[in-house]
Amino acid sequence: MCDPGLAAEHQGVSEHVIKRAYSATEESFLSLVKKQWLSKPQIASTGTCCLVGVICNGMIYIANSGDSRVVLGRVERATRETEAIQLSTEHNVNQETVRDELRSKHPFDSQIVVLRQNVWRVKGLIQVSRSIGDAYLKKAEFNRDPLPAKYRLAETFFRPILSCEPSTSSHTLHPDDQFLIFASDGLWEHLTNQEAVNIVNNNPPNGIARRLVKAALREAAKKCEMRLSDLQKIEQGMRRHIHDDITVIVVFLNSRTENTSLCGSPLSIKGGASANS
């Protein structure tokens, strides 16, 4: 996503450059929706959360649109324990601050967020307030026939309901920073930040992402009073009623080993692992 051309144009990576990359990605997808509108109108209801981490010149830049999360594991020198530090900001309307943000942007829409079956949703449809795609909630031209009726709003709208703009932050990497856990909300629904960090810290790197997924699935099964083996026998579509998609990437950091240049930064990526359910 982070276009090298954009980085070169602005003489390096920055939060501004990453936001420009998000906008370019969004524009490209909306252009595709427009081209395929008559033949594949359902594509207007397709969207994704987007979590990005870029390491450059001793800094890590984080951008997030949606409710995925990145957590850093850092060793505290005084205690030698590995602490969980959340680096990203989420946009899920089950958080009061996110609901307040939407209400302030749409002061004349009393139904901008709706509580249904104890879950808050934007217009009663979707839990995230920011995403890539979801054209049907960004441009009124895509919220009409031939879009399937279950996605269409009863009334038109005159400004985008959702946004693609990410929340961004930048952090100086510290020698005691050990690893990064990038994961979708399916993981964080069942594991706390510290629980996830403890699992990574106390186990070998090989297969660690799968281990995190399995730990989350075990917790999901426990909440439904079933065994993990029974949960895994349920078809994927039906399992969405028990747990959300779980996608995990773990990146290990080691600034004290042999140098690998990342955007001119002497940092070694010691290892990486990914898995999804």
Side-chain angles (χ1 to χ4, degrees):
M1 172 185 283
C2 196
D3 187 344
L6 281 175
E9 178 186 337
H10 293 271
Q11 300 182 329
V13 175
S14 66
E15 293 179 41
H16 173 69
V17 167
I18 295 173
K19 285 184 177 181
R20 285 275 306 275
Y22 269 72
S23 294
T25 304
E26 172 87 340
E27 288 167 13
S28 294
F29 185 77
L30 294 185
S31 175
L32 178 66
V33 172
K34 191 166 187 175
K35 287 178 183 176
Q36 299 190 356
W37 174 240
L38 293 178
S39 60
K40 297 180 180 178
Q42 67 274 16
I43 198 174
S45 64
T46 301
T48 182
C49 299
C50 185
L51 174 61
V52 170
V54 179
I55 295 173
C56 184
N57 295 329
M59 302 285 293
I60 180 164
Y61 298 87
I62 298 296
N64 188 43
S65 180
D67 55 6
S68 295
R69 182 187 305 171
V70 58
V71 172
L72 170 71
R74 173 182 290 170
V75 172
E76 286 298 316
R77 294 190 176 184
T79 63
R80 302 310 301 168
E81 294 183 354
T82 303
E83 178 186 7
I85 302 172
Q86 183 171 326
L87 300 183
S88 55
T89 301
E90 291 150 47
H91 313 109
N92 187 305
V93 292
N94 282 298
Q95 297 180 7
E96 186 175 2
T97 54
V98 178
R99 295 197 298 274
D100 289 344
E101 178 186 55
L102 271 176
R103 286 167 177 151
S104 68
K105 290 180 177 179
H106 303 272
F108 303 109
D109 187 350
S110 62
Q111 299 296 304
I112 191 65
V113 286
V114 178
L115 183 64
R116 287 183 179 170
Q117 297 180 329
N118 294 318
V119 177
W120 287 98
R121 297 183 184 276
V122 181
K123 302 299 289 183
L125 294 169
I126 190 171
Q127 287 184 260
V128 295
S129 62
R130 305 190 195 188
S131 68
I132 299 291
D134 292 310
Y136 74 121
L137 292 176
K138 292 175 178 173
K139 291 179 175 285
E141 65 186 279
F142 300 127
N143 203 294
R144 58 180 176 82
D145 248 358
L147 184 72
K150 64 179 179 179
Y151 298 113
R152 294 203 303 266
L153 301 178
E155 69 287 342
T156 190
F157 53 92
F158 301 97
R159 60 178 301 180
I161 294 170
L162 302 187
S163 166
C164 77
E165 183 178 0
S167 291
T168 59
S169 61
S170 56
H171 313 268
T172 302
L173 285 170
H174 190 274
D176 293 325
D177 294 342
Q178 301 298 301
F179 51 82
L180 297 158
I181 305 171
F182 294 82
S184 62
D185 66 314
L187 182 82
W188 308 114
E189 285 177 358
H190 301 292
L191 297 179
T192 67
N193 293 351
Q194 192 62 54
E195 285 171 341
V197 162
N198 290 347
I199 290 170
V200 176
N201 190 54
N202 295 328
N203 291 281
N206 189 34
I208 195 62
R210 289 186 180 87
R211 188 181 291 271
L212 284 167
V213 170
K214 192 171 183 178
L217 291 176
R218 189 177 290 111
E219 288 300 313
K222 188 185 298 182
K223 290 173 184 176
C224 293
E225 300 182 339
M226 66 170 67
R227 293 177 300 182
L228 175 59
S229 58
D230 293 331
L231 171 62
Q232 292 173 323
K233 292 174 185 175
I234 301 173
E235 292 182 9
Q236 288 288 344
M238 295 300 295
R239 278 168 59 175
R240 289 302 295 266
H241 298 292
I242 299 173
H243 69 84
D244 207 343
D245 165 74
I246 307 174
T247 301
V248 181
I249 296 175
V250 181
V251 178
F252 291 88
L253 307 171
N254 189 344
S255 59
R256 294 181 291 276
T257 60
E258 59 182 304
N259 290 347
T260 299
S261 177
L262 286 177
C263 206
S265 173
L267 180 81
S268 171
I269 300 299
K270 189 176 177 183
S274 64
N276 59 72
S277 69

